Amino acid sequence: MNVPHAEKHRIHRSGWLRAAVLGANDGIVSTASLIVGVAAAGAEKSNIILAGAAGLVAGAMSMAAGEYVSVKSQEDTEAADLKIEKQALLDHWDEEVEELAAIYRSRGLNDELATEVADQLMKHNPLEAHARDEIGITSELSAQPLQAAFWSALAFSVGAAAPLLSVSFTPPGALLWVVPVIALLLLGCLGAAAARVGGAPPLRGSMRVCFWGMLAMGLTATVGKIFGIAL
Ligand SMILES: [Zn+2]
C-alpha cells in the first residue's frame, strides 16, 4: 500500500522509554541521596558503600514489585471489563450494535453511516470493536507484568550503580560534592535525552530532573547532618 503521508508519532515509543528513564532517575536520585545522607552523618567509606549497595537492591526490588502490581491490577481491570462486555454481547446483541453506533455518532458520523460501521464491525470482531471503541483497550497497550518489573528493576540498578561506583574512587572528604555533581550531570543528560526522544524541549526536561535531584540530595544531607550530630 502506498502511504503518501505518514507522520511519525512518538506516543508508541514513549511507554517503555518513560519507564526506563524513570527507573534510572529513581536509581540515581535515591542512591545518591542515600550516600550523601550517610556521608553527611560522618559514616566511614565502607559503611557508605554498604548503605548504597543495600539501597540499590532494596530500590530495584521495590520498583519491580510496584511495577508488577500496577501492571497486574491494570490487567485484572481489563479482563473484568472484557468479561462484562462478552456477556453483554451474548445477552443483548441488538443493544450492543446500537451502543456502538451511538459511539460513532458522537464522534461525528451521521446516523446511516454510524449504523453501517457498527454493523460491519460487529460482524468482523464484536468484542474487539467494543473493547477498543467503548472501553479503550487495544492489544498494543496491554503491558507484560513480568517484563515491566524486570526492566524497571534493571533501569533502577543501572542508575543506582553510577553514584555507588563514584564513591569507590572518591576520597571520603570529597564525597559530599563529588557524588551530587556526578548525579546531577547524569540526571541532566538523562532528562535531556528523554525529552529529545519524546519530542519535548531538552533543556526543560533536564532542569526538571536536576531540580528534584538537588532537592532530594539537599534534604537527605541535612537529615544526615542532624542525625550525625545527635548520635
Ligand atoms: Zn458494549
Side-chain angles (χ1 to χ4, degrees):
M1 195 173 71
N2 184 22
V3 181
H5 173 77
E7 72 270 49
K8 284 198 180 73
H9 285 294
R10 298 172 188 269
I11 196 79
H12 305 296
R13 56 179 169 174
S14 71
W16 65 265
L17 179 79
R18 191 166 175 278
V21 169
L22 281 182
N25 266 351
D26 273 9
I28 296 169
V29 172
S30 68
T31 310
S33 299
L34 193 60
I35 288 166
V36 166
V38 179
E44 282 183 30
K45 197 163 162 170
S46 58
N47 287 336
I48 296 173
I49 292 176
L50 179 64
L56 185 154
V57 177
M61 284 318 294
S62 147
M63 291 286 288
E67 195 67 23
Y68 183 85
V69 169
S70 117
V71 173
K72 211 62 190 168
S73 64
Q74 169 77 21
E75 232 180 42
D76 289 347
T77 311
E78 287 185 6
D81 266 345
L82 286 178
K83 200 175 160 208
I84 293 171
E85 197 60 43
K86 223 177 206 160
Q87 195 56 49
L89 287 167
L90 286 176
D91 296 344
H92 319 281
W93 181 265
D94 293 339
E95 286 93 330
E96 288 294 313
V97 178
E98 176 43 39
E99 180 185 49
L100 209 52
I103 290 168
Y104 300 133
R105 279 199 298 276
S106 77
R107 289 183 190 170
L109 301 191
N110 64 35
D111 273 1
E112 201 183 339
L113 189 55
T115 311
E116 177 67 23
V117 171
D119 271 339
Q120 289 203 16
L121 287 179
M122 291 289 279
K123 272 177 205 143
H124 174 66
N125 187 338
L127 188 60
E128 187 192 81
H130 281 259
R132 183 187 56 228
D133 292 333
E134 184 191 347
I135 318 173
I137 302 173
T138 60
S139 48
E140 304 102 74
L141 286 178
S142 306
Q144 304 289 316
L146 273 179
Q147 213 172 327
F150 172 78
W151 287 110
S152 50
L154 185 71
F156 182 96
S157 306
V158 170
L164 192 53
L165 285 176
S166 74
V167 175
S168 55
F169 62 76
T170 307
L175 278 178
L176 279 179
W177 63 269
V178 170
V179 172
V181 165
I182 289 176
L184 288 176
L185 278 175
L186 288 172
L187 284 175
C189 293
L190 207 57
R196 223 192 142 72
V197 180
L203 190 64
R204 199 187 302 164
S206 169
M207 304 257 287
R208 212 178 278 156
V209 283
C210 284
F211 168 78
W212 284 102
M214 275 197 289
L215 195 65
M217 288 186 279
L219 212 62
T220 32
T222 310
V223 170
K225 198 105 196 152
I226 294 167
F227 272 83
I229 294 165
L231 293 173

